[in-house]
Amino acid sequence: MAVDRNRVAAAVREILAAVGEDPDRPGLKATPQRVADAYAEFFAGVGEDASAPLAHTISVSRGPAPDTLPSGAVLLRDIRFRSVCEHHLLPFAGRAHIAYLPGEQVVGLGALPKVVDVLAARPQVQERLGEQIADTIAASLDARGVLVVLSAHHECVTMRGGRQPDAATVTIAARGEFAEPAARAEIIMLLTASAESGG
């Protein structure tokens, strides 16, 4: 579903007037259209199918390398993402780390960031975003386990209220075998080592 840029621009013009500004002054005249263009990018994932990037899978046993069956987790870390908090419409941004235990099907690693991008490009809360990423991967692949860790800075925390510029929010979503704390301990350790080394 495409963002209605004309409606967004009209609404922004009303907001500018509501805060006591003159939307026709030179510095603000183009602002409604600029915000509309930005929102078209920020919310491009509304109505999009987040599982579409996972549609093309590769058979582990009949694929290009059947002699190298994965026995452990596939981990893709430090996927940059940005989203907009649905509570204040302020941005939050950070990194996603995704791990899954393959079954018979694997997916090209480039597909995982695309899932994150689609789901992040909606009005969101971080807790739900991580759960949606995990659910999408779990439903699309025959993975034995899925783990999604998100770490992000929220402008609703850093710029308003308590104004904690260094505060980061970390959320974990786990499915299948990774729902057991002992099973995901190794993956969490790998992610912690990455963060401590500046990775």
Side-chain angles (χ1 to χ4, degrees), residues 73-179:
V74 175
L75 172 62
L76 187 62
R77 62 188 187 193
D78 296 323
I79 302 166
R80 291 185 181 271
F81 75 92
R82 57 107 181 98
S83 190
V84 176
C85 173
E86 67 183 34
H87 296 155
H88 300 96
L89 293 184
L90 290 173
F92 65 96
R95 295 175 188 241
H97 312 286
I98 299 173
Y100 73 98
L101 288 166
E104 165 58 21
Q105 300 293 322
V106 294
V107 69
L109 293 178
L112 298 176
K114 292 176 184 175
V115 172
V116 175
D117 287 345
V118 170
L119 291 169
R122 303 172 178 181
Q124 274 289 11
V125 293
Q126 182 175 331
E127 298 88 339
R128 184 175 66 224
L129 176 59
E131 298 292 332
Q132 289 177 339
I133 295 168
D135 284 340
T136 300
I137 295 169
S140 300
L141 304 177
D142 62 338
R144 292 173 285 132
V146 178
L147 181 68
V148 177
V149 179
L150 303 181
S151 177
H153 290 85
H154 294 246
E155 289 195 7
C156 58
V157 175
T158 63
M159 296 184 64
R160 62 169 298 280
R163 297 186 188 180
Q164 296 295 317
D166 297 323
T169 300
V170 178
T171 56
I172 299 172
R175 302 290 182 271
E177 291 183 23
F178 284 142

Side-chain angles (χ1 to χ4, degrees), residues 5 14 18 28 40 69 71 97 113 115 123 160-161 184:
R5 297 185 192 211
E14 284 299 311
L28 291 176
L69 299 179
S71 59
H97 312 286
V115 172
R160 62 169 298 280
R184 66 176 179 246

Side-chain angles (χ1 to χ4, degrees), residues 12-26:
V12 171
R13 185 177 170 82
E14 284 299 311
I15 290 171
L16 290 171
V19 300
E21 263 291 359
D22 174 9
D24 290 317
R25 74 173 172 84

